[in-house]
């Protein structure tokens, strides 16, 4: 049984054209005019709608044990939420506890992810440096198809790495051809600022952004880029929020360094007035790095970056916690679990504000949300509508208007950081692995139908500055 998607406008990263798309099994097998329909094929009318490659989210945290609790979407509900928003592949972060084996961590994450309704891979987090870490990193790439690592330069006393570990991770990553994703904030400075604020009795969620100024992100971004450059490693700076870090990335790119930058919709679209919400309402917006203040050039730097190519991708950092979980920090903002939902909102929010708002074309949005993350992270069958690619597709109707709300989203999160935001355009259908998994508001995603995506390394050392 296959599908023929009839008469839509196919939009890839660099092109758009009217065509039928034929799907057999899990694969796109034909693109053209008047494609024949087999006796058992389902025909889907896409006239007047866009046919997009399934979006790839390179930054999510499903059922993540974090800050004394666990993020509320598991791999089933989180991927289903993604499908409702046009995302058909995710890259989650496998985060083994400090001092534990990467391979044991991977086994644990694979077990959790077996219920995913969409395809998935992992970035492997390095949360400390031990005598087996280098060999385990090599094994993860060589034997397990994981070709990207993660370092947190923040979250001191938990998963933060020091410069020694950062140096070593970049070295082994360059040797193995893996990308290093980086949470870039100076965790020691954040820790000091947090203590100073708490000592003055400043404990509410509105002090979260005060404890993490943009200079702290800029400094860490610069340091990560430098560490990578020493070894010719390829860094991918996740969830960039500010002018200083975009400028650091821009300097590195213009100097010829291979490096990538990601931002997320919330950093483009929200500002620190969200912390004015009464009754601990600001806690919903507590994430790191923080949502920035308007008028300081941060939002403009991000919009320019995603438009002009200095920033490469837009992920979501989907990591939701319930209000009840956020209350762990009712008397101390440093204990509010950091993170929010976003995987379901990305396409409609960016179509509305990015495309209709005049910042970039729909082709560029496909590049930022699908083609680029697929290419950077070696998902070779994802990111474009083409014969031979996986049949992960989104039929997107650009006309309807809607409102984002926790009342209607599929995530288990009880609040939406985009609550009440108007959007234009709607995901009408999402096709995952050749099957319709979401149709006109109804989810048909099948628990466990997602597959683990093994990847091959492509980012071997380039222009190393030291030869240790
Ligand atoms: O606040 C956030 N971003 N929570 C998820 C973990 C991380 O730092 O990405
Ligand atoms: Zn982070
Ligand atoms: Zn994250």
């Amino acid at each position: 049984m296959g599908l023929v998607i009839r008469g839509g406008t196919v939009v890839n990263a660099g092109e758009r054209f009217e065509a039928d798309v034929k799907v057999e099994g899990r694969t796109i097998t034909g693109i053209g005019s008047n494609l024949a329909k087999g006796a058992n094929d389902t025909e889907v009318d896409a006239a007047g709608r866009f046919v997009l490659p399934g979006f790839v989210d390179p930054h999510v945290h499903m059922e993540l044990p974090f800050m004394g609790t666990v993020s509320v979407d598991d791999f089933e509900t989180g991927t289903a939420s993604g499908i409702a928003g046009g995302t058909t592949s995710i890259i989650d972060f496998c985060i083994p506890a400090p001092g534990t084996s990467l391979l044991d961590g991977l086994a644990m994450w694979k077990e959790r992810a077996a219920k995913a309704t969409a395809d998935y891979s992992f970035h492997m987090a390095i949360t400390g440096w031990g005598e087996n870490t280098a060999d385990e990193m090599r094994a993860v790439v060589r034997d397990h198809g994981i070709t990207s690592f993660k370092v947190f330069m923040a979250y001191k006393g938990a998963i933060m790495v020091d410069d020694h570990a950062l140096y070593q991770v970049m070295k082994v990553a360059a040797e193995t051809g893996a990308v290093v994703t980086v949470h870039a904030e100076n965790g020691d400075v954040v820790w000091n600022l947090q203590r100073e604020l708490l000592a003055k009795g400043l404990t509410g969620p509105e002090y979260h952004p005060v404890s993490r100024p943009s200079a702290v992100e800029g400094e860490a971004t610069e340091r990560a880029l430098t560490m990578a450059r020493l070894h010719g490693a390829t860094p991918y700076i996740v969830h960039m929020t500010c002018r200083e870090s975009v400028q650091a990335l821009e300097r590195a790119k213009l100097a010829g360094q291979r490096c990538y930058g990601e931002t997320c919709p919330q950093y483009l679209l929200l500002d620190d007035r969200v912390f004015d919400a009464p009754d601990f309402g600001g806690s919903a917006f507590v994430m790191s790095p923080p949502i920035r203040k308007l008028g300081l050039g941060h939002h403009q730097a991000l919009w320019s970056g995603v438009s002009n190519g200095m920033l490469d991708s837009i992920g979501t950092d989907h990591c939701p916690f319930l209000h009840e979980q956020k209350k762990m920090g009712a008397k101390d903002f440093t204990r509010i679990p950091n993170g929010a939902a976003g995987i379901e909102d990305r396409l409609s929010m960016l179509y509305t504000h990015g495309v209709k708002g005049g910042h970039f074309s729909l082709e560029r949005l496909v590049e930022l949300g699908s083609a680029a993350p697929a290419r950077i992270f070696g998902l070779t069958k994802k990111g474009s509508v083409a014969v031979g690619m996986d049949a992960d597709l989104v039929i997107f109707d650009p006309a309807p208007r809607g409102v984002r709300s926790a009342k209607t989203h599929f995530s288990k999160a009880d609040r939406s950081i985009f609550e009440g935001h108007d959007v234009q355009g709607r995901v009408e259908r999402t096709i995952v692995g050749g099957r319709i998994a979401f149709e006109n508001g109804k989810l048909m995603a099948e628990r466990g139908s997602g597959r683990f995506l093994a990847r091959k390394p492509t980012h071997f050392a380039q222009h190393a500055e030291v030869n240790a």
Side-chain angles (χ1 to χ4, degrees):
M1 250 178 37
L3 291 173
V4 178
I5 300 159
R6 192 75 79 198
T9 302
V10 173
V11 182
N12 279 323
E15 58 182 357
R16 76 169 68 188
F17 50 90
E18 310 239 317
D20 300 342
V21 178
K22 187 166 170 60
V23 170
E24 290 172 278
R26 289 179 164 271
T27 308
I28 299 171
T29 56
I31 297 182
S33 305
N34 303 314
L35 294 182
K37 172 174 126 35
N40 295 321
D41 288 351
T42 304
E43 191 164 281
V44 177
D45 173 26
R49 271 92 88 212
F50 295 118
V51 180
L52 313 176
F55 271 43
V56 175
D57 197 333
H59 190 156
V60 301
H61 305 275
M62 308 306 178
E63 53 191 286
L64 173 68
F66 188 50
M67 297 185 72
T69 184
V70 179
S71 62
V72 71
D73 271 325
D74 64 20
F75 278 87
E76 181 179 5
T77 63
T79 50
S81 171
I83 286 170
T87 290
T88 54
S89 306
I90 58 163
I91 313 183
D92 195 270
F93 293 83
C94 171
I95 311 184
T100 64
S101 147
L102 305 186
L103 300 175
D104 290 349
L106 183 57
M108 199 184 290
W109 252 260
K110 277 194 159 179
E111 199 179 314
R112 291 177 186 154
K115 55 189 174 296
T117 66
D119 290 351
Y120 56 90
S121 182
F122 306 109
H123 308 289
M124 173 59 71
I126 309 301
T127 53
W129 195 258
E131 56 184 17
N132 298 326
T133 313
D135 280 343
E136 285 210 316
M137 285 178 70
R138 293 184 186 107
V140 157
V141 177
R142 190 185 57 230
D143 306 331
H144 296 275
I146 304 284
T147 58
S148 45
F149 293 101
K150 172 72 181 281
V151 284
F152 292 89
M153 297 171 75
Y155 305 125
K156 184 177 168 64
I159 51 179
M160 173 176 137
V161 292
D162 60 13
D163 283 356
H164 164 61
L166 187 56
Y167 177 93
Q168 294 294 341
V169 169
M170 293 295 180
K171 186 173 171 182
V172 181
E175 169 205 315
T176 57
V179 173
V180 182
T181 69
V182 181
H183 174 131
E185 287 184 294
N186 184 319
D188 282 314
V189 174
V190 170
W191 189 87
N192 276 281
L193 287 168
Q194 288 177 332
R195 302 280 88 64
E196 286 167 19
L197 287 161
L198 292 177
K200 288 184 198 152
L202 305 174
T203 60
E206 64 275 25
Y207 294 103
H208 173 74
V210 182
S211 71
R212 310 181 93 101
S214 57
V216 161
E217 184 182 333
E219 183 279 327
T221 303
E222 188 76 60
R223 186 155 36 102
L225 290 163
T226 303
M227 292 286 194
R229 201 157 54 235
L230 291 174
H231 298 293
T234 306
Y236 172 103
I237 313 298
V238 301
H239 53 34
M240 293 172 64
T241 74
C242 67
R243 187 169 43 80
E244 290 90 330
S245 62
V246 174
Q247 286 171 348
L249 189 79
E250 193 170 318
R251 279 194 297 277
K253 285 192 176 195
L254 293 177
Q257 185 173 358
R258 185 174 60 188
C259 50
Y260 303 111
E262 169 203 275
T263 189
C264 307
Q266 57 271 33
Y267 298 122
L268 291 160
L269 299 171
L270 304 179
D271 63 76
D272 73 345
R273 286 173 297 180
V274 296
F275 296 106
D276 296 343
D279 301 327
F280 200 54
S283 64
F285 301 90
V286 168
M287 62 186 73
S288 296
I291 291 165
R292 299 291 177 196
K293 193 189 263 313
L294 276 182
L296 300 176
H298 301 312
H299 298 79
Q300 197 188 347
L302 296 176
W303 279 117
S304 301
V306 291
S307 307
N308 68 21
M310 281 298 160
L311 294 183
D312 300 276
S313 72
I314 304 182
T316 67
D317 198 7
H318 183 83
C319 187
F321 297 97
L322 300 173
H323 188 60
E324 207 48 43
Q325 293 173 291
K326 293 271 183 177
K327 280 189 191 159
M328 291 167 65
K331 294 199 170 78
D332 173 353
F333 71 87
T334 69
R335 296 186 187 277
I336 300 172
N338 285 204
I343 195 168
E344 203 169 327
D345 307 295
R346 179 174 56 154
L347 175 50
S348 59
M349 290 298 287
L350 292 175
Y351 183 74
T352 304
H353 295 280
V355 177
K356 300 311 284 181
H359 289 283
F360 45 66
S361 64
L362 181 55
E363 289 86 336
R364 176 76 185 146
L365 174 53
V366 170
E367 165 74 9
L368 289 160
S370 181
R375 188 175 57 248
I376 293 167
F377 293 113
L379 300 175
T380 53
K381 297 282 183 191
K382 310 291 185 188
S384 97
V385 183
V387 171
M389 300 297 275
D390 283 354
D392 293 346
L393 298 161
V394 180
I395 301 177
F396 187 78
D397 186 343
R401 290 174 184 278
V403 180
R404 302 305 306 161
S405 174
K407 293 190 189 81
T408 48
H409 71 197
F410 289 88
S411 164
K412 281 165 77 178
D414 55 359
R415 288 183 299 173
S416 166
I417 55 172
F418 301 114
E419 187 69 39
H421 285 244
D422 294 325
V423 285
Q424 182 175 347
R426 177 177 89 109
V427 173
E428 184 180 286
R429 287 187 179 83
T430 308
I431 293 152
V432 182
R435 300 167 83 113
I436 298 175
F438 179 76
E439 188 167 43
N440 294 318
K442 192 160 172 272
L443 255 180
M444 293 156 305
E446 277 176 59
R447 179 182 167 92
S449 57
R451 297 167 306 166
F452 172 70
L453 301 167
R455 301 179 277 137
K456 291 202 165 67
T458 50
H459 289 77
F460 292 95
Q462 206 179 54
H463 311 303
E465 287 182 1
V466 292
N467 227 336

